[in-house]
Amino acid sequence: MAACKDLIDSRFPDDEGHGAAAMLLGDGTILTGTAPNAVNPCVEVCHEIEPYCGAHRLNQRIVASVCLHRQPGGRTVVLSPCGVCRERLAVHGPDVLVAVADPSDATVVVWKSLRDVLPDYWMTAFPDEIDAGWVG
Ligand SMILES: [Zn+2]
C-alpha cells in the first residue's frame, strides 16, 4: 500500500485527483502502475494494468492487489478492483487478496480474498476446467 501511495505522490506532485495500483508478487516483488488519461475516456485502462502485465512478464503469481485514488486536498481512498480487474486477477486463483474500502471509511483498507469478492464466480460452473482453487 505504501508503494502505491508513494507512486501517486512522486508521479503527481500537484493537488489534482490521481490514482495508482500496486501488486505483491509471489517472489516478494512489489510492482506499481498508473494509467494515463485519454482523449476518449472509453479507451482508458485501469491502474492495475501495468503491474498486472508486469507479473505476467516476470512469470510471477499475484498475491495481493491494491488501488488507491488521491483526491484533491490529499484524501486518499481505496478503490476496490473493478469487475474487469477481478476477472483478470481470477487467473491467479481465489486466494489473491484485494484491497476494498471499509464501508464506513473509504480511506481504510479492508483485505478480502478474490473468492470473497466473487462469491458467485461464473467459472464455478465448470469445476473440471479451472484451477482447483475456485471450487471446493
Ligand atoms: Zn479495473
Side-chain angles (χ1 to χ4, degrees):
M1 192 162 141
C4 187
K5 182 80 169 73
D6 288 348
L7 173 58
I8 295 171
D9 292 340
S10 64
R11 173 61 180 82
F12 306 107
D14 57 41
D15 190 41
E16 298 176 19
H18 297 284
M23 293 185 183
L24 173 65
L25 307 185
D27 68 353
T29 300
I30 295 174
L31 297 179
T32 60
T34 185
N37 293 324
V39 174
N40 181 344
C42 293
V43 299
E44 291 180 353
V45 296
C46 299
H47 299 300
E48 289 96 328
I49 291 297
E50 186 177 1
Y52 179 78
C53 291
H56 178 69
R57 172 177 42 82
L58 297 170
N59 194 27
Q60 287 292 312
R61 290 188 71 83
I62 294 170
V63 174
S65 178
V66 60
C67 185
L68 301 174
H69 178 79
R70 188 193 66 211
Q71 300 170 313
R75 182 174 185 261
T76 301
V77 297
V78 180
L79 300 180
S80 66
C82 76
V84 174
C85 284
R86 292 176 195 207
E87 187 68 32
R88 291 176 179 133
L89 288 168
V91 171
H92 295 270
D95 296 323
V96 173
L97 294 175
V98 296
V100 303
D102 184 301
S104 63
D105 182 353
T107 66
V108 175
V109 170
V110 175
W111 291 99
K112 292 188 174 184
S113 71
L114 205 51
R115 179 185 288 108
D116 289 340
V117 298
L118 289 171
D120 300 307
Y121 187 50
W122 67 275
M123 275 300 288
T124 56
F126 306 100
D128 296 336
E129 299 179 28
I130 61 173
D131 243 4
W134 273 110
V135 179

